[in-house]
Amino acid sequence: MNGEEIIRFERVTKEYDGMTVLDDVSFAIERGKFYTLLGPSGCGKTTILRLIAGFIEPTQGTIYFHGKPIQNVPPNKRQVNTVFQDYALFPHLDVFENVAFGLRVKKMKEADIRRKVSEALQFVNLEGYERRRIQEMSGGQRQRVAIARAIVNEPEVLLLDEPLSALDLKLRTEMQYELRELQRRLGITFIFVTHDQEEALAMSDYIFVLNKGKIQQFGTPKEIYDEPVNRFVADFIGESNILPGRMIEDFLVEFAGQRFVCVDRGFAPNEPVDVVIRPEDLELAAPEAGQIVIRVDSLLFRGVHYEICGYDENGNEWLVHSTKKAEVGEIVGLRFEPEAIHVMRAEREDGGE
Amino acid sequence: MMERTWRNWYLVPYGIWLVLFVIAPIVFLLYESFLDMDGHWTLANYEKVLTPIYLKMMAYSFWYAFLITLVSLLIGYPTAYWLTKTKHKQLWLLLLILPMWVNLLLKVYAFLGLFGTYGLANALLQTLGIGARQLLFTDFSFVFVSVYIFIPFMVLPIFNALEELPPSLIDAARDLGASAWTTFRRVVFPLTLSGVKAGCQAVFIPALSLFMITRLVAGNRVITLGTAIEQHFLVTQDWGMGATIAVVLMAAMAVIVVLTGTGRKEGSR
């Protein structure tokens, strides 16, 4: 982190009726980056967004904007704009007036309003839709209107609250590209909230993984995917094989009844750990050539690969993504590189489902 | 086929009701309005309606109905808004509706007692040092009692419209830089206009033909069209004239309903 800091949370806690939804959270947001708050529902990600927007105030702690605390600054005086989950477009106004809303509130000149609105609509590929009613727009188009309505105000930070969740898969993938592209062109900070880990990995510069009101991990998508810090992150960020194990010494770990060479170090001798191996890092091999031997229990064709599920002799479940096919009931070997083994400190009490 | 014919039979009770008590009376009313006191065909009743006496009466009726509607709206909208924000919505709503369960005549008589020369209101004014004054049989007491009676009819539709308003729209307006007042003016009010219209109709139309309150509370000092109808039918026995005024009133109401819209076409949906 070396860019200019825009937003900082310092030990922020938020409680609703005695329920802690955000628990002593601290982090900083830099200018011009694409951030994602990722987590299951109720993890506190939307709460962070609403705190930044100013719809709610923290119970404890301070939020800084350009180094100044922004408690008691009402939402209409903050340099941030939000794209809401249900878009929250005004049904009594047409597309043009929806986008112009913020500018009209600022009492901008009519000619400037017209120019800026048409620029913003162009930005989201909606020229010519000015006089359409909101009810006549499709889900994807409404989404774009919502984005145009927010960016026309030239905010320093754009907050996006699960804006893609209402769209179908194909449109969602398209919009992921568009949003990422939009962020690059505008150069402003995006803070994007989602529960979809693929979306988060595809779009973000940085990801905050949240669970139960706490930040579990912060990092680039690659860091989070490759080096999850705990079982929850590993589980949430993608389908994984997570096995309990023991760190014998640096670069040597024991799990599934065997010892394996790995690339991790810095653990206490014999420290209990969780070991993560991604299904796509496992390679099918002949039983005698395999480091682990499993009996195939089920097989699903997923298009790009087969999803194979099997059990080893200790009863551990193994998930394999392979382009090669295996038969149900077949005994196969699994091979993997030392780099495929990710060792995490065991945090059973924080474990996911 | 069988099922269909059976279903049509269900309509029979209401059909009979409709013909006997809705359509027939209106036809009789129209017929009556073209008869003079001796039962001869005439247009004289309609000519009379256009004389200054009746025009003035009509103007009074509209003016008071307007006043009652306006005061109800000014009290009703903030009340409805506050209701949507309270924790015990159902309880407050019940308290609001409760007076509607009390007989109208009873409520009006209660006000006769309260506003009388030796009533509670005057006693209060006296202790405050303002001194007793004539409250009953004034324009003030007429509007006050009418508003009291009609206010739930104004609050309920507005409350419903406010409840249907997605809270994210208010967040969105604030987010886009609108102050609380601008948010209300540009988003909340336009989107609850359907409820306001429905409430205004529910108050204005019955307020136009009030007669009991005008007689008991306003002491017939305020003569509205409702009073005129009652007097023609019961006192002067000029049924033709009474019917004519009733027809004019109905026409006026129809115009108002059309002008204010059915209230559900646009707005929050």
Side-chain angles (χ1 to χ4, degrees), chain B residues 161-203:
Chain B
L162 281 167
E163 281 277 283
E164 278 175 30
L165 187 76
S168 66
L169 291 185
I170 294 164
D171 282 348
R174 300 283 283 151
D175 187 72
L176 292 166
S179 62
W181 168 243
T182 311
T183 302
F184 176 78
R185 202 165 46 88
R186 284 180 173 260
V187 177
V188 180
F189 190 74
L191 285 174
T192 49
L193 207 57
S194 61
V196 172
K197 279 181 183 171
C200 287
Q201 281 182 12
V203 172

mmCIF file of all heavy atoms in Angstrom, chain B residues 161-203:
data_model
loop_
_atom_site.group_PDB
_atom_site.id
_atom_site.type_symbol
_atom_site.label_atom_id
_atom_site.label_comp_id
_atom_site.label_asym_id
_atom_site.label_seq_id
_atom_site.Cartn_x
_atom_site.Cartn_y
_atom_site.Cartn_z
ATOM 1 N N ALA B 161 -49.247 4.555 1.720
ATOM 2 C CA ALA B 161 -48.342 4.970 0.643
ATOM 3 C C ALA B 161 -46.914 5.100 1.169
ATOM 4 O O ALA B 161 -45.952 4.688 0.522
ATOM 5 C CB ALA B 161 -48.809 6.288 0.040
ATOM 6 N N LEU B 162 -46.772 5.657 2.379
ATOM 7 C CA LEU B 162 -45.438 5.821 2.970
ATOM 8 C C LEU B 162 -44.814 4.473 3.293
ATOM 9 O O LEU B 162 -43.611 4.276 3.124
ATOM 10 C CB LEU B 162 -45.528 6.663 4.246
ATOM 11 C CG LEU B 162 -45.644 8.173 4.047
ATOM 12 C CD1 LEU B 162 -46.042 8.841 5.349
ATOM 13 C CD2 LEU B 162 -44.338 8.758 3.539
ATOM 14 N N GLU B 163 -45.665 3.540 3.740
ATOM 15 C CA GLU B 163 -45.155 2.212 4.075
ATOM 16 C C GLU B 163 -44.631 1.491 2.839
ATOM 17 O O GLU B 163 -43.701 0.703 2.911
ATOM 18 C CB GLU B 163 -46.271 1.376 4.716
ATOM 19 C CG GLU B 163 -46.508 1.690 6.170
ATOM 20 C CD GLU B 163 -45.537 0.959 7.089
ATOM 21 O OE1 GLU B 163 -45.734 -0.246 7.321
ATOM 22 O OE2 GLU B 163 -44.588 1.618 7.550
ATOM 23 N N GLU B 164 -45.268 1.766 1.694
ATOM 24 C CA GLU B 164 -44.869 1.097 0.457
ATOM 25 C C GLU B 164 -43.603 1.698 -0.147
ATOM 26 O O GLU B 164 -43.004 1.112 -1.035
ATOM 27 C CB GLU B 164 -45.995 1.209 -0.585
ATOM 28 C CG GLU B 164 -47.081 0.171 -0.401
ATOM 29 C CD GLU B 164 -48.231 0.394 -1.362
ATOM 30 O OE1 GLU B 164 -47.986 0.921 -2.473
ATOM 31 O OE2 GLU B 164 -49.367 0.064 -1.005
ATOM 32 N N LEU B 165 -43.228 2.874 0.330
ATOM 33 C CA LEU B 165 -42.060 3.547 -0.235
ATOM 34 C C LEU B 165 -40.783 2.812 0.191
ATOM 35 O O LEU B 165 -40.518 2.694 1.376
ATOM 36 C CB LEU B 165 -42.045 4.988 0.287
ATOM 37 C CG LEU B 165 -41.009 5.935 -0.287
ATOM 38 C CD1 LEU B 165 -41.428 6.368 -1.680
ATOM 39 C CD2 LEU B 165 -40.852 7.136 0.609
ATOM 40 N N PRO B 166 -39.985 2.311 -0.769
ATOM 41 C CA PRO B 166 -38.768 1.596 -0.373
ATOM 42 C C PRO B 166 -37.791 2.545 0.327
ATOM 43 O O PRO B 166 -37.494 3.613 -0.204
ATOM 44 C CB PRO B 166 -38.174 1.130 -1.705
ATOM 45 C CG PRO B 166 -39.252 1.305 -2.718
ATOM 46 C CD PRO B 166 -40.148 2.382 -2.215
ATOM 47 N N PRO B 167 -37.306 2.175 1.521
ATOM 48 C CA PRO B 167 -36.408 3.070 2.247
ATOM 49 C C PRO B 167 -35.122 3.376 1.469
ATOM 50 O O PRO B 167 -34.504 4.413 1.672
ATOM 51 C CB PRO B 167 -36.096 2.325 3.543
ATOM 52 C CG PRO B 167 -36.680 0.973 3.413
ATOM 53 C CD PRO B 167 -37.616 0.949 2.265
ATOM 54 N N SER B 168 -34.751 2.470 0.557
ATOM 55 C CA SER B 168 -33.510 2.711 -0.193
ATOM 56 C C SER B 168 -33.638 3.954 -1.070
ATOM 57 O O SER B 168 -32.627 4.581 -1.399
ATOM 58 C CB SER B 168 -33.145 1.488 -1.035
ATOM 59 O OG SER B 168 -34.097 1.268 -2.038
ATOM 60 N N LEU B 169 -34.860 4.338 -1.476
ATOM 61 C CA LEU B 169 -35.023 5.546 -2.290
ATOM 62 C C LEU B 169 -34.636 6.785 -1.489
ATOM 63 O O LEU B 169 -34.063 7.733 -2.029
ATOM 64 C CB LEU B 169 -36.464 5.673 -2.780
ATOM 65 C CG LEU B 169 -36.917 4.644 -3.802
ATOM 66 C CD1 LEU B 169 -38.335 4.957 -4.285
ATOM 67 C CD2 LEU B 169 -35.973 4.615 -4.990
ATOM 68 N N ILE B 170 -34.951 6.763 -0.205
ATOM 69 C CA ILE B 170 -34.594 7.895 0.648
ATOM 70 C C ILE B 170 -33.078 7.930 0.834
ATOM 71 O O ILE B 170 -32.452 8.986 0.713
ATOM 72 C CB ILE B 170 -35.329 7.788 2.000
ATOM 73 C CG1 ILE B 170 -36.825 7.950 1.744
ATOM 74 C CG2 ILE B 170 -34.825 8.829 2.981
ATOM 75 C CD1 ILE B 170 -37.702 7.503 2.873
ATOM 76 N N ASP B 171 -32.481 6.748 1.065
ATOM 77 C CA ASP B 171 -31.021 6.666 1.148
ATOM 78 C C ASP B 171 -30.393 7.190 -0.143
ATOM 79 O O ASP B 171 -29.415 7.936 -0.113
ATOM 80 C CB ASP B 171 -30.576 5.205 1.346
ATOM 81 C CG ASP B 171 -30.767 4.742 2.783
ATOM 82 O OD1 ASP B 171 -31.010 5.612 3.644
ATOM 83 O OD2 ASP B 171 -30.669 3.534 3.030
ATOM 84 N N ALA B 172 -30.965 6.779 -1.280
ATOM 85 C CA ALA B 172 -30.406 7.178 -2.576
ATOM 86 C C ALA B 172 -30.437 8.696 -2.728
ATOM 87 O O ALA B 172 -29.451 9.305 -3.161
ATOM 88 C CB ALA B 172 -31.176 6.512 -3.714
ATOM 89 N N ALA B 173 -31.540 9.313 -2.356
ATOM 90 C CA ALA B 173 -31.646 10.762 -2.493
ATOM 91 C C ALA B 173 -30.624 11.463 -1.598
ATOM 92 O O ALA B 173 -29.945 12.404 -2.023
ATOM 93 C CB ALA B 173 -33.060 11.219 -2.133
ATOM 94 N N ARG B 174 -30.493 10.977 -0.364
ATOM 95 C CA ARG B 174 -29.509 11.551 0.563
ATOM 96 C C ARG B 174 -28.102 11.374 0.002
ATOM 97 O O ARG B 174 -27.275 12.280 0.057
ATOM 98 C CB ARG B 174 -29.605 10.859 1.929
ATOM 99 C CG ARG B 174 -30.955 10.981 2.590
ATOM 100 C CD ARG B 174 -31.170 12.324 3.197
ATOM 101 N NE ARG B 174 -30.465 12.475 4.470
ATOM 102 C CZ ARG B 174 -30.020 13.628 4.927
ATOM 103 N NH1 ARG B 174 -30.155 14.713 4.213
ATOM 104 N NH2 ARG B 174 -29.413 13.700 6.099
ATOM 105 N N ASP B 175 -27.862 10.183 -0.531
ATOM 106 C CA ASP B 175 -26.559 9.834 -1.092
ATOM 107 C C ASP B 175 -26.198 10.773 -2.241
ATOM 108 O O ASP B 175 -25.037 11.106 -2.452
ATOM 109 C CB ASP B 175 -26.616 8.387 -1.594
ATOM 110 C CG ASP B 175 -25.271 7.874 -2.034
ATOM 111 O OD1 ASP B 175 -24.436 7.632 -1.157
ATOM 112 O OD2 ASP B 175 -25.049 7.730 -3.252
ATOM 113 N N LEU B 176 -27.209 11.194 -2.996
ATOM 114 C CA LEU B 176 -26.965 12.055 -4.157
ATOM 115 C C LEU B 176 -26.912 13.525 -3.762
ATOM 116 O O LEU B 176 -26.919 14.399 -4.620
ATOM 117 C CB LEU B 176 -28.050 11.829 -5.213
ATOM 118 C CG LEU B 176 -27.982 10.446 -5.868
ATOM 119 C CD1 LEU B 176 -29.268 10.154 -6.635
ATOM 120 C CD2 LEU B 176 -26.789 10.348 -6.798
ATOM 121 N N GLY B 177 -26.874 13.791 -2.474
ATOM 122 C CA GLY B 177 -26.633 15.154 -2.027
ATOM 123 C C GLY B 177 -27.855 15.920 -1.569
ATOM 124 O O GLY B 177 -27.763 17.093 -1.245
ATOM 125 N N ALA B 178 -29.018 15.263 -1.535
ATOM 126 C CA ALA B 178 -30.225 15.981 -1.154
ATOM 127 C C ALA B 178 -30.332 16.089 0.364
ATOM 128 O O ALA B 178 -30.092 15.127 1.074
ATOM 129 C CB ALA B 178 -31.455 15.266 -1.707
ATOM 130 N N SER B 179 -30.709 17.276 0.838
ATOM 131 C CA SER B 179 -30.946 17.451 2.272
ATOM 132 C C SER B 179 -32.243 16.736 2.628
ATOM 133 O O SER B 179 -32.970 16.265 1.744
ATOM 134 C CB SER B 179 -31.084 18.941 2.586
ATOM 135 O OG SER B 179 -32.208 19.453 1.897
ATOM 136 N N ALA B 180 -32.543 16.672 3.925
ATOM 137 C CA ALA B 180 -33.763 15.972 4.352
ATOM 138 C C ALA B 180 -34.991 16.601 3.692
ATOM 139 O O ALA B 180 -35.886 15.910 3.211
ATOM 140 C CB ALA B 180 -33.883 16.022 5.873
ATOM 141 N N TRP B 181 -35.015 17.939 3.634
ATOM 142 C CA TRP B 181 -36.172 18.628 3.073
ATOM 143 C C TRP B 181 -36.273 18.379 1.557
ATOM 144 O O TRP B 181 -37.347 18.087 1.030
ATOM 145 C CB TRP B 181 -36.097 20.124 3.390
ATOM 146 C CG TRP B 181 -37.082 20.942 2.615
ATOM 147 C CD1 TRP B 181 -36.815 21.915 1.705
ATOM 148 C CD2 TRP B 181 -38.521 20.852 2.681
ATOM 149 N NE1 TRP B 181 -37.978 22.420 1.197
ATOM 150 C CE2 TRP B 181 -39.046 21.785 1.786
ATOM 151 C CE3 TRP B 181 -39.407 20.038 3.404
ATOM 152 C CZ2 TRP B 181 -40.418 21.961 1.580
ATOM 153 C CZ3 TRP B 181 -40.779 20.211 3.205
ATOM 154 C CH2 TRP B 181 -41.267 21.168 2.313
ATOM 155 N N THR B 182 -35.139 18.464 0.858
ATOM 156 C CA THR B 182 -35.149 18.217 -0.591
ATOM 157 C C THR B 182 -35.579 16.782 -0.885
ATOM 158 O O THR B 182 -36.308 16.523 -1.844
ATOM 159 C CB THR B 182 -33.748 18.469 -1.188
ATOM 160 O OG1 THR B 182 -33.281 19.718 -0.723
ATOM 161 C CG2 THR B 182 -33.791 18.465 -2.704
ATOM 162 N N THR B 183 -35.104 15.857 -0.055
ATOM 163 C CA THR B 183 -35.505 14.457 -0.226
ATOM 164 C C THR B 183 -37.012 14.326 -0.118
ATOM 165 O O THR B 183 -37.653 13.653 -0.920
ATOM 166 C CB THR B 183 -34.830 13.577 0.842
ATOM 167 O OG1 THR B 183 -33.428 13.730 0.728
ATOM 168 C CG2 THR B 183 -35.202 12.122 0.671
ATOM 169 N N PHE B 184 -37.585 15.017 0.861
ATOM 170 C CA PHE B 184 -39.030 14.961 1.027
ATOM 171 C C PHE B 184 -39.745 15.554 -0.194
ATOM 172 O O PHE B 184 -40.644 14.962 -0.757
ATOM 173 C CB PHE B 184 -39.456 15.713 2.294
ATOM 174 C CG PHE B 184 -40.948 15.772 2.459
ATOM 175 C CD1 PHE B 184 -41.637 14.663 2.922
ATOM 176 C CD2 PHE B 184 -41.654 16.911 2.109
ATOM 177 C CE1 PHE B 184 -43.012 14.699 3.041
ATOM 178 C CE2 PHE B 184 -43.031 16.953 2.220
ATOM 179 C CZ PHE B 184 -43.714 15.848 2.694
ATOM 180 N N ARG B 185 -39.267 16.723 -0.605
ATOM 181 C CA ARG B 185 -39.938 17.461 -1.683
ATOM 182 C C ARG B 185 -39.822 16.735 -3.028
ATOM 183 O O ARG B 185 -40.764 16.671 -3.796
ATOM 184 C CB ARG B 185 -39.295 18.844 -1.790
ATOM 185 C CG ARG B 185 -40.135 19.902 -2.439
ATOM 186 C CD ARG B 185 -39.544 21.281 -2.150
ATOM 187 N NE ARG B 185 -38.109 21.304 -2.367
ATOM 188 C CZ ARG B 185 -37.552 21.564 -3.547
ATOM 189 N NH1 ARG B 185 -38.283 21.804 -4.594
ATOM 190 N NH2 ARG B 185 -36.235 21.567 -3.664
ATOM 191 N N ARG B 186 -38.638 16.160 -3.293
ATOM 192 C CA ARG B 186 -38.409 15.601 -4.619
ATOM 193 C C ARG B 186 -38.687 14.107 -4.717
ATOM 194 O O ARG B 186 -38.853 13.589 -5.816
ATOM 195 C CB ARG B 186 -36.954 15.846 -5.034
ATOM 196 C CG ARG B 186 -36.703 17.267 -5.458
ATOM 197 C CD ARG B 186 -35.252 17.429 -5.862
ATOM 198 N NE ARG B 186 -35.019 18.748 -6.425
ATOM 199 C CZ ARG B 186 -34.960 18.973 -7.733
ATOM 200 N NH1 ARG B 186 -35.118 17.991 -8.581
ATOM 201 N NH2 ARG B 186 -34.744 20.187 -8.169
ATOM 202 N N VAL B 187 -38.668 13.406 -3.596
ATOM 203 C CA VAL B 187 -38.837 11.954 -3.668
ATOM 204 C C VAL B 187 -40.042 11.477 -2.849
ATOM 205 O O VAL B 187 -40.971 10.887 -3.392
ATOM 206 C CB VAL B 187 -37.557 11.222 -3.188
ATOM 207 C CG1 VAL B 187 -37.768 9.715 -3.203
ATOM 208 C CG2 VAL B 187 -36.384 11.603 -4.067
ATOM 209 N N VAL B 188 -40.037 11.773 -1.550
ATOM 210 C CA VAL B 188 -41.068 11.196 -0.683
ATOM 211 C C VAL B 188 -42.458 11.691 -1.075
ATOM 212 O O VAL B 188 -43.367 10.898 -1.305
ATOM 213 C CB VAL B 188 -40.782 11.504 0.799
ATOM 214 C CG1 VAL B 188 -41.867 10.909 1.683
ATOM 215 C CG2 VAL B 188 -39.432 10.947 1.193
ATOM 216 N N PHE B 189 -42.611 13.011 -1.172
ATOM 217 C CA PHE B 189 -43.945 13.528 -1.454
ATOM 218 C C PHE B 189 -44.475 13.093 -2.827
ATOM 219 O O PHE B 189 -45.587 12.582 -2.914
ATOM 220 C CB PHE B 189 -43.998 15.047 -1.286
ATOM 221 C CG PHE B 189 -45.400 15.584 -1.329
ATOM 222 C CD1 PHE B 189 -46.251 15.385 -0.250
ATOM 223 C CD2 PHE B 189 -45.874 16.232 -2.451
ATOM 224 C CE1 PHE B 189 -47.559 15.842 -0.290
ATOM 225 C CE2 PHE B 189 -47.184 16.697 -2.503
ATOM 226 C CZ PHE B 189 -48.033 16.505 -1.415
ATOM 227 N N PRO B 190 -43.687 13.254 -3.906
ATOM 228 C CA PRO B 190 -44.216 12.812 -5.206
ATOM 229 C C PRO B 190 -44.609 11.338 -5.224
ATOM 230 O O PRO B 190 -45.570 10.962 -5.878
ATOM 231 C CB PRO B 190 -43.061 13.055 -6.185
ATOM 232 C CG PRO B 190 -42.130 13.966 -5.512
ATOM 233 C CD PRO B 190 -42.351 13.853 -4.041
ATOM 234 N N LEU B 191 -43.863 10.522 -4.477
ATOM 235 C CA LEU B 191 -44.142 9.089 -4.518
ATOM 236 C C LEU B 191 -45.279 8.682 -3.581
ATOM 237 O O LEU B 191 -45.754 7.559 -3.633
ATOM 238 C CB LEU B 191 -42.880 8.291 -4.188
ATOM 239 C CG LEU B 191 -41.856 8.250 -5.326
ATOM 240 C CD1 LEU B 191 -40.585 7.574 -4.883
ATOM 241 C CD2 LEU B 191 -42.433 7.550 -6.543
ATOM 242 N N THR B 192 -45.706 9.602 -2.707
ATOM 243 C CA THR B 192 -46.847 9.269 -1.855
ATOM 244 C C THR B 192 -48.072 10.070 -2.277
ATOM 245 O O THR B 192 -49.085 10.080 -1.587
ATOM 246 C CB THR B 192 -46.529 9.551 -0.374
ATOM 247 O OG1 THR B 192 -45.985 10.861 -0.257
ATOM 248 C CG2 THR B 192 -45.547 8.544 0.174
ATOM 249 N N LEU B 193 -47.970 10.723 -3.424
ATOM 250 C CA LEU B 193 -49.063 11.547 -3.925
ATOM 251 C C LEU B 193 -50.342 10.736 -4.091
ATOM 252 O O LEU B 193 -51.442 11.242 -3.871
ATOM 253 C CB LEU B 193 -48.652 12.169 -5.266
ATOM 254 C CG LEU B 193 -49.321 13.484 -5.620
ATOM 255 C CD1 LEU B 193 -49.077 14.503 -4.533
ATOM 256 C CD2 LEU B 193 -48.800 14.005 -6.947
ATOM 257 N N SER B 194 -50.197 9.463 -4.471
ATOM 258 C CA SER B 194 -51.384 8.616 -4.641
ATOM 259 C C SER B 194 -52.149 8.529 -3.325
ATOM 260 O O SER B 194 -53.372 8.627 -3.306
ATOM 261 C CB SER B 194 -50.975 7.234 -5.119
ATOM 262 O OG SER B 194 -50.147 6.623 -4.175
ATOM 263 N N GLY B 195 -51.419 8.366 -2.226
ATOM 264 C CA GLY B 195 -52.057 8.293 -0.916
ATOM 265 C C GLY B 195 -52.694 9.622 -0.535
ATOM 266 O O GLY B 195 -53.788 9.665 0.032
ATOM 267 N N VAL B 196 -51.998 10.721 -0.868
ATOM 268 C CA VAL B 196 -52.535 12.050 -0.572
ATOM 269 C C VAL B 196 -53.832 12.263 -1.338
ATOM 270 O O VAL B 196 -54.831 12.730 -0.786
ATOM 271 C CB VAL B 196 -51.503 13.137 -0.936
ATOM 272 C CG1 VAL B 196 -52.116 14.516 -0.827
ATOM 273 C CG2 VAL B 196 -50.287 13.027 -0.032
ATOM 274 N N LYS B 197 -53.842 11.872 -2.613
ATOM 275 C CA LYS B 197 -55.057 12.029 -3.426
ATOM 276 C C LYS B 197 -56.198 11.215 -2.854
ATOM 277 O O LYS B 197 -57.315 11.697 -2.713
ATOM 278 C CB LYS B 197 -54.784 11.554 -4.857
ATOM 279 C CG LYS B 197 -54.077 12.582 -5.721
ATOM 280 C CD LYS B 197 -53.896 12.005 -7.100
ATOM 281 C CE LYS B 197 -53.124 12.933 -8.014
ATOM 282 N NZ LYS B 197 -52.791 12.256 -9.277
ATOM 283 N N ALA B 198 -55.896 9.969 -2.517
ATOM 284 C CA ALA B 198 -56.932 9.090 -1.981
ATOM 285 C C ALA B 198 -57.478 9.672 -0.679
ATOM 286 O O ALA B 198 -58.699 9.699 -0.463
ATOM 287 C CB ALA B 198 -56.379 7.688 -1.748
ATOM 288 N N GLY B 199 -56.586 10.172 0.173
ATOM 289 C CA GLY B 199 -57.010 10.764 1.438
ATOM 290 C C GLY B 199 -57.860 12.001 1.226
ATOM 291 O O GLY B 199 -58.885 12.188 1.880
ATOM 292 N N CYS B 200 -57.427 12.854 0.278
ATOM 293 C CA CYS B 200 -58.176 14.086 0.004
ATOM 294 C C CYS B 200 -59.574 13.768 -0.520
ATOM 295 O O CYS B 200 -60.553 14.407 -0.132
ATOM 296 C CB CYS B 200 -57.430 14.961 -0.994
ATOM 297 S SG CYS B 200 -55.991 15.752 -0.257
ATOM 298 N N GLN B 201 -59.653 12.761 -1.384
ATOM 299 C CA GLN B 201 -60.971 12.357 -1.884
ATOM 300 C C GLN B 201 -61.839 11.855 -0.746
ATOM 301 O O GLN B 201 -63.011 12.194 -0.651
ATOM 302 C CB GLN B 201 -60.819 11.230 -2.913
ATOM 303 C CG GLN B 201 -60.415 11.723 -4.276
ATOM 304 C CD GLN B 201 -60.334 10.577 -5.270
ATOM 305 O OE1 GLN B 201 -60.783 9.475 -4.982
ATOM 306 N NE2 GLN B 201 -59.768 10.841 -6.421
ATOM 307 N N ALA B 202 -61.224 11.028 0.124
ATOM 308 C CA ALA B 202 -61.992 10.415 1.207
ATOM 309 C C ALA B 202 -62.485 11.460 2.193
ATOM 310 O O ALA B 202 -63.446 11.226 2.917
ATOM 311 C CB ALA B 202 -61.146 9.371 1.926
ATOM 312 N N VAL B 203 -61.835 12.645 2.240
ATOM 313 C CA VAL B 203 -62.271 13.696 3.149
ATOM 314 C C VAL B 203 -63.143 14.709 2.424
ATOM 315 O O VAL B 203 -64.227 15.066 2.884
ATOM 316 C CB VAL B 203 -61.060 14.396 3.801
ATOM 317 C CG1 VAL B 203 -61.505 15.603 4.595
ATOM 318 C CG2 VAL B 203 -60.295 13.424 4.675
#
